[in-house]
Amino acid sequence: DVQLVESGGGLVQPGGSLRLSCVSSGHTDNSYCMGWFRQAQGPEREGVAAIHVTYGSKYYDRTVKGRFTISQDNAKNTLYLQTNSLKSEDTALYYCAAWRRGTGSWTNWGQGTQVTVS
């Protein structure tokens, strides 16, 4: 299976930046996409950004497009989310997730890293 561990969250003032990291371990070969989600209010997690592991094609939610950048270092099995021009509404617990090939869903999740903008 794939285990994910996030880091890089913290407290930042509006307009600031943070770089979130997600290190994958275990059976990483079968990951189809990697993504970032956030949980701000209630139990729901909203999609923030995603990247196709093989081809590098990217998705961004409209709320973060132009401010956030998703990237990966496959040699290090590490996913990144560069968050710039942070707003108070970006405050959330940020999770990384893996969409494993053939599963049709986001099946593996990290523990989350807190981003607080104030």
Side-chain angles (χ1 to χ4, degrees):
D1 206 355
V2 177
Q3 295 80 47
L4 308 174
V5 179
E6 302 104 329
S7 63
L11 175 64
V12 64
Q13 294 184 0
S17 300
L18 288 171
R19 189 183 72 165
L20 311 184
S21 299
C22 173
V23 178
S24 301
S25 61
H27 186 59
T28 61
D29 292 348
N30 204 34
S31 293
Y32 169 63
C33 291
M34 298 294 297
W36 287 97
F37 296 76
R38 64 187 181 186
Q39 182 178 0
Q41 300 178 12
E44 295 81 16
R45 298 180 185 181
E46 62 179 7
V48 175
I51 185 169
H52 193 286
V53 172
T54 300
Y55 301 114
S57 52
K58 300 173 181 179
Y59 155 85
Y60 295 100
D61 186 77
R62 294 180 183 87
T63 61
V64 306
K65 193 171 185 178
R67 299 188 297 119
F68 291 10
T69 303
I70 188 170
S71 61
Q72 62 186 353
D73 185 339
N74 287 347
K76 297 181 178 180
N77 290 319
T78 302
L79 179 75
Y80 301 99
L81 184 68
Q82 179 67 45
T83 67
N84 298 327
S85 302
L86 284 164
K87 307 173 182 178
S88 60
E89 49 263 48
D90 294 318
T91 296
L93 186 63
Y94 283 72
Y95 297 87
C96 65
W99 182 309
R100 292 186 294 131
R101 186 174 291 107
T103 65
S105 64
W106 301 97
T107 57
N108 298 76
W109 297 81
Q111 82 289 346
T113 185
Q114 179 67 38
V115 172
T116 301
V117 185
S118 65

